[in-house]
Amino acid sequence: MDMMTKDEFDIIDVEVHQKSIRNIASEMAVTLMRTSGSPVVTDAKDFSTSILDHKVEQLGFAGHVTFHVSTAVAGVEAVLRNTRIEDIAPGDGFICNDPHTSGAIHQGDVGIVMPFFAQGEIVGWGYVNAHLLDVGGSAVSGFAAGAFDNYSEALAFPAVRVIREGRIDEQWQRFISNNVRMAGTVINDIRSMIAANNVGSRRIAAMIDEIGLDRFRQLNEQGKCLSEKAMRDIISRLPDGTYDSSDWVEYDGRGIEGLHEIRVRLLVRGDEMTLQFRGGPQVNCFINGAWPAVVGQSWTTILAQLAYDIPVNAGIWRPITFDLGPSGTLVNSVAPAPVTMSHIQTGMRVNKLLADVFSQACSLSEDPVIASRVASQSAQDQTYFTAFGMDRRNGQPTVAFPMSVGMSTGGPAQTNSDGMEVYAAQCMSGCDMPDVELEETSQPGMILWRRVAQDTGGAGVTRGGLGVDTAMAILHCDRMNGGAYTNTALIPPRGSVGGFPGAAGYWKQWRKTNLVELLDRHVFADIDTIAGEVPQTTATVTDFEVVRGDIYHVIHGGGGGLGDPLRRDPGMVARDVSDGFVSADMARDIYGVILDAKGAANTAATAARRSEIRKARIGDTPRAAVAEDAPLFAPLKVDQGHWRCTACGEDLGRSRGNWRDNAVATEAEVSVRFAALHSQVRHRKDGDPVMMREYYCPGCASSLSVDIALDSSPPTAAPRIGEYDPYPDNLILNS
C-alpha cells in the first residue's frame, strides 16, 4: 500500500524492510572482519555494528557483543553534543572511546561514528565498535589494573572528528600511532571500521533511492512499533511486583580484598518495567561502572533471557526505564573515576543481578513460556593477563591478550538444558574462541592444555556449564609487563530456584619452570611434568611480570545450577561422571547418586542416599514427600496470600513477609562449604566473610534457594507480589 497508518500497514513489508536493515548491519560486520588484521576482531569477533536513524534511534544491530546496544546510541548522541549537525559532511567520522563523555563501554572498545547521507541530508548514522589491541596509556589493551583515575588509564577520545572524506586525518593518524603500542594494527582496525561504515552508507543510500525517503522512515517507525509491542507483551506476562538482588564487585589489586556492594530492584507494573541500580561511592580503581556499561550489560541480559526473538531497535527501549541513582557511585560513576574494567567488573555483576531478579519473576509467572525462561547466573568469569614486550621471532613490539585463555567460563543452567561449557561472558553472544593455532601465531606463547574443569558447574536439576582449565606458556618474549586479573575470585555465581552455585575463577603463575628444558627434550609439558614456583598473589595484580618459560594457568568458574540437585535424573548424573564432568564424590555427596561397578546409577542405593541427604538438610526425617508432579523450576508460589512450597504444599508464611523466615536455614563460610561441594572459591582473609546460606522446606526438605552474601548482610528479600516499592532517588549504599 502507498500510505500506512498506525493501525493499518503491511506487516510482511515491514518485516522485509527490518531484515534488510539488519542485513546491511551484518554486511558492515563482515567488512570489518575481513579487512581487520587483529585476531581480537577476525577470530574472537569482539566487535559490533549498528545503524541508527536521523533521530538517533536504533534500526538494526549486528550483535557480536550485545552491550554495544547502549554504546551505539550514546556515541552518536555524543557526536551531536560536540558538533553542530550543519557542520557535518559526507565522509566525516568521529572516534568515541571515553565512557564518561562519549558512551564507550570502556576505553579499549573504540567506536567510529559516521553519518549516512542520502538525497542531500543526514538520514541515519553508522556505529562500528571494536576492541582494539591497544589504546595507549598504562592500560595494555585497555585494562589499567593499577590506575587511580581515568587520566592514567588510556587515550580517551570524546567523540572528536578524526576522519574526513572517508579517510583518517594524517595528523590524527600520527598522534594515535605515536601513543599506542601496536600502531600498525590499531590504525588498520580504524580504517576497517571506516570501511564498514562506508558500506552501510552506500547500502542505505541505495535503499532510499529505491523506495524513497518517506517510505524508508515510515517503515522504520512501524518496525519500532512492532518491537515495542513484543517487548510490552513479554513484560505484561511477568507478575507485577518488586524483586531485589545484591552482589559485590571485587578488587584486591592494592592488597586489601575489597568487596563493593551493588543492588538492583526490578519493578514490574503492567507492560512496563523499571530497573533501579544502586551502589556505594565510586572508588579509585578500574572497577567503576558508567552509564554505557550498566545499561549495556542490562540489555545483554534482557536480550538473552527475555527478548531473545525480538528485533533490536529503538522500540525495545520504550517500555523500560533505567534508573542508575545518584551520580558518583559505583553504578553511575563520573570523571575522574577509572573505568577500564567497567564492563567486566561492575558491568558483569549487572548481568548476574538481572539474571537473579528476572528468574524470580519468571518462576512465579503463570505463563508457561515466561516460566521456562528461569535461568541461573553464568560464571561471568573473565580471567586475563595483558602484557607488553618484544617478540623474539621478529624483534617487534607485541601485546599479549590471549582471549581464549581468559574467556572460557561456564554458562547458566536453563530449564531446557544444562549450561553450556565454554560459554564465555553473556555479552559475547556472537563471539568465537580463537583456536590454538591462531593464539600461538598471534600471541607470544604456547597453549599447553585446554580442557573442561571437573565439578566447576553448579549442581541442580540442570547443571551449570563447566569452566575450562587452560595454561599458556610465554616462549617468544624474554620479558613482558602488564596486569593480571579475575573478576570472580571471592563471589561465585549463584544457582536459581534451589540450584547450587558454580565455581569461582582462579589463576596462578608458574615461575622459574623447567618448561624450556622439557620442550628441548621433547617431553610433553603437563601438570605432572612441569616443575616451578607458584607464588601466592592477589586476584588482581597491577605489576604483573612474566619472563620466558613462565606459565599462566587459569581454571575458570562454572555456571550456577537450576533446581534442587536431588531431583536431577540419576542417569544424567551417571553420564556426567562417565564424561569426566562430575566426580563420583560430587555425584554421591551433592546429587545423592550411587554408581554401580559399571558406572550406572544404582536405583535403590540412590533413593536411600537421597533420603539421607534430605534428613541431613533439615535435621530430621521429612514429614512430607515431594509430589511426583511438582514443578522442577518453581519451588515457591503464592496461594491465598501465603508462600507455599510447590513440592509439598508447606505453608511458609504470609506473602507480604519473607518466606526465608519460615524455612530451615543453614550457613557456612563459602570456601568451607565449597570444599564439601568439591568446587573452588577463594577464602576471603580481609573483612566480612562471604557466606553461603541454604534454605530448605521444613516439610519435604526441598532446596528452595542457595544465597551468597556477606556475613553481616540481612537475609535476601523475597519478591513482593503486587507491590510497587521503588528505591529512594538519593540512595547511596554504604561503602
Side-chain angles (χ1 to χ4, degrees):
M1 78 179 83
D2 294 329
M3 181 65 67
M4 293 182 295
T5 67
K6 181 177 180 181
D7 299 317
E8 183 180 10
F9 58 91
D10 185 342
I11 193 170
I12 295 177
D13 200 17
V14 175
E15 183 63 18
V16 169
H17 177 76
Q18 284 196 106
K19 287 188 175 180
S20 297
I21 297 289
R22 293 200 296 275
N23 285 343
I24 293 172
S26 296
E27 187 176 352
M28 293 166 63
V30 170
T31 301
L32 173 62
M33 189 170 61
R34 290 184 175 175
T35 57
S36 169
S38 169
V40 179
V41 174
T42 58
D43 285 77
K45 299 182 178 63
D46 191 352
F47 69 91
S48 294
T49 58
S50 188
I51 298 171
L52 302 92
D53 65 15
H54 66 295
K55 298 187 294 183
V56 196
E57 293 190 345
Q58 279 167 325
L59 301 178
F61 180 76
H64 290 278
V65 184
T66 49
F67 53 49
H68 291 150
V69 169
S70 72
T71 63
V73 174
V76 180
E77 288 177 343
V79 169
L80 293 175
R81 280 197 307 271
N82 296 346
T83 309
R84 296 189 309 165
I85 195 166
E86 55 267 28
D87 293 337
I88 298 174
D92 282 356
F94 303 79
I95 188 168
C96 307
N97 82 316
D98 180 13
H100 291 310
T101 63
S102 62
I105 204 85
H106 76 126
Q107 295 93 321
D109 272 17
V110 175
I112 298 294
V113 174
M114 296 182 70
F116 289 174
F117 277 80
Q119 300 180 3
E121 63 178 292
I122 293 177
V123 297
W125 299 88
Y127 177 88
V128 180
N129 187 290
H131 188 156
L132 300 190
L133 207 53
D134 191 58
V135 284
S138 66
V140 178
S141 198
F143 302 113
F148 286 86
D149 53 63
N150 64 295
Y151 301 109
S152 55
E153 290 191 298
L155 283 174
F157 292 91
V160 294
R161 180 163 30 202
V162 301
I163 299 155
R164 291 186 184 273
E165 298 180 353
R167 294 175 179 270
I168 185 170
D169 180 87
E170 289 185 6
Q171 299 298 322
W172 276 112
Q173 180 171 322
R174 291 193 188 99
F175 172 78
I176 294 170
S177 297
N178 196 53
N179 283 278
V180 299
R181 297 168 178 83
M182 303 290 289
T185 302
V186 169
I187 295 300
N188 185 69
D189 278 351
I190 293 174
R191 289 173 176 157
S192 295
M193 289 190 276
I194 296 170
N197 270 317
N198 287 339
V199 166
S201 180
R202 290 194 299 269
R203 294 289 186 264
I204 291 294
M207 176 185 287
I208 290 172
D209 286 342
E210 179 180 350
I211 67 174
L213 183 55
D214 288 344
R215 185 169 178 78
F216 172 77
R217 288 175 173 167
Q218 201 172 39
L219 289 167
N220 290 341
E221 292 307 309
Q222 294 300 334
K224 296 174 197 175
C225 287
L226 288 176
S227 288
E228 177 186 0
K229 183 177 183 297
M231 190 77 244
R232 289 186 182 277
D233 178 62
I234 287 172
I235 296 170
S236 69
R237 290 185 276 165
L238 296 172
D240 283 3
T242 301
Y243 307 85
D244 288 283
S245 187
S246 299
D247 213 314
W248 288 265
V249 184
E250 305 177 19
Y251 183 77
D252 64 357
R254 299 188 182 116
I256 298 174
E257 295 173 319
L259 290 177
H260 306 271
E261 186 180 10
I262 63 173
R263 299 177 189 171
V264 71
R265 179 163 287 179
L266 167 64
L267 303 167
V268 180
R269 185 157 59 185
D271 61 358
E272 296 187 350
M273 70 181 182
T274 296
L275 296 171
Q276 292 189 300
F277 296 97
R278 295 293 186 269
Q282 64 189 42
V283 293
N284 64 348
C285 53
F286 70 164
I287 66 174
N288 296 286
W291 186 93
V294 173
V295 175
Q297 291 289 33
S298 296
W299 278 117
T300 284
T301 306
I302 293 168
L303 293 174
Q305 193 163 357
L306 299 179
Y308 48 90
D309 57 352
I310 300 178
V312 176
N313 59 44
I316 64 174
W317 289 74
R318 294 171 181 169
I320 303 175
T321 299
F322 298 96
D323 173 6
L324 274 57
S327 61
T329 70
L330 201 64
V331 294
N332 193 13
S333 68
V334 295
V339 286
T340 47
M341 197 67 92
S342 63
H343 60 317
I344 287 179
Q345 285 283 7
T346 294
M348 290 188 182
R349 286 307 193 279
V350 166
N351 298 140
K352 296 169 73 177
L353 289 171
L354 292 190
D356 188 1
V357 291
F358 289 157
S359 291
Q360 290 178 42
C362 289
S363 71
L364 294 168
S365 175
E366 296 180 358
D367 184 283
V369 174
I370 298 301
S372 72
R373 298 312 298 166
V374 175
S376 68
Q377 293 181 345
S378 81
Q380 295 292 66
D381 168 25
Q382 300 290 282
T383 303
Y384 294 103
F385 82 92
T386 51
F388 175 73
M390 302 299 293
D391 197 319
R392 292 163 53 98
R393 294 169 292 189
N394 53 27
Q396 297 298 310
T398 187
V399 167
F401 180 34
M403 293 282 287
S404 71
V405 178
M407 64 190 281
S408 312
T409 72
Q414 302 182 65
T415 57
N416 62 351
S417 70
D418 291 339
M420 291 175 59
E421 279 69 62
V422 202
Y423 179 82
Q426 192 171 63
C427 60
M428 303 170 76
S429 60
C431 297
D432 289 339
M433 187 166 77
D435 60 34
V436 169
E437 291 78 13
L438 189 281
E439 289 280 62
E440 293 182 341
T441 300
S442 62
Q443 304 289 333
M446 172 184 179
I447 304 293
L448 300 180
W449 63 79
R450 179 190 291 170
R451 52 203 177 210
V452 294
Q454 188 179 73
D455 290 345
T456 49
V461 174
T462 52
R463 172 182 49 75
L466 300 172
V468 174
D469 179 345
T470 306
M472 179 179 182
I474 298 300
L475 288 177
H476 306 305
C477 287
D478 290 322
R479 185 176 305 276
M480 303 188 81
N481 294 90
Y485 12 76
T486 182
N487 61 339
T488 59
L490 297 169
I491 306 292
R494 279 168 275 184
S496 186
V497 293
F500 279 59
Y506 169 81
W507 70 270
K508 64 183 178 183
Q509 180 185 8
W510 298 66
R511 309 204 69 179
K512 299 180 181 179
T513 73
N514 60 342
L515 176 70
V516 175
E517 175 193 347
L518 292 175
L519 296 178
D520 287 343
R521 291 167 41 211
H522 304 288
V523 175
F524 182 70
D526 203 348
I527 198 79
D528 297 323
T529 57
I530 294 170
E533 299 176 1
V534 182
Q536 295 296 311
T537 69
T538 52
T540 297
V541 175
T542 62
D543 56 349
F544 187 67
E545 180 182 73
V546 288
V547 301
R548 187 167 186 255
D550 282 3
I551 297 168
Y552 183 75
H553 181 197
V554 180
I555 301 178
H556 279 286
L562 198 67
D564 188 340
L566 294 186
R567 298 186 67 190
R568 183 169 173 84
D569 181 350
M572 296 180 71
V573 177
R575 185 183 66 187
D576 279 347
V577 173
S578 176
D579 290 340
F581 294 168
V582 170
S583 66
D585 288 344
M586 187 175 187
R588 179 191 65 245
D589 297 341
I590 312 304
Y591 289 104
V593 174
I594 305 298
L595 305 177
D596 62 22
K598 295 182 178 180
N602 183 310
T603 302
T606 294
R609 176 62 182 147
R610 289 183 164 181
S611 294
E612 290 176 4
I613 293 175
R614 288 188 183 277
K615 182 177 180 179
R617 284 175 170 180
I618 63 174
D620 200 355
T621 302
R623 61 176 177 267
V626 175
E628 291 186 4
D629 61 348
L632 294 171
F633 305 112
L636 296 160
K637 66 179 180 180
V638 174
D639 179 31
Q640 297 181 343
H642 282 247
W643 287 109
R644 294 189 184 276
C645 170
T646 59
C648 69
E650 180 78 15
D651 188 335
L652 295 169
R654 294 184 62 83
S655 60
R656 290 186 178 274
N658 192 339
W659 60 263
R660 288 174 174 81
D661 295 338
N662 298 293
V664 176
T666 63
E667 71 173 8
E669 193 275 323
V670 69
S671 67
V672 173
R673 184 67 175 113
F674 263 51
L677 296 175
H678 311 284
S679 194
Q680 67 181 29
V681 70
R682 183 185 286 241
H683 169 68
R684 189 186 191 200
K685 301 174 184 176
D686 302 325
D688 212 0
V690 181
M691 307 300 290
M692 181 165 154
R693 297 170 175 168
E694 302 169 48
Y695 294 92
Y696 299 106
C697 172
C700 63
S702 290
S703 179
L704 303 177
S705 184
V706 180
D707 301 342
I708 302 293
L710 299 189
D711 188 38
S712 60
S713 301
T716 302
R720 277 96 76 201
I721 304 301
E723 295 184 31
Y724 197 82
D725 181 22
Y727 284 135
D729 290 341
N730 61 352
L731 175 64
I732 298 176
L733 304 183
N734 293 328
S735 177

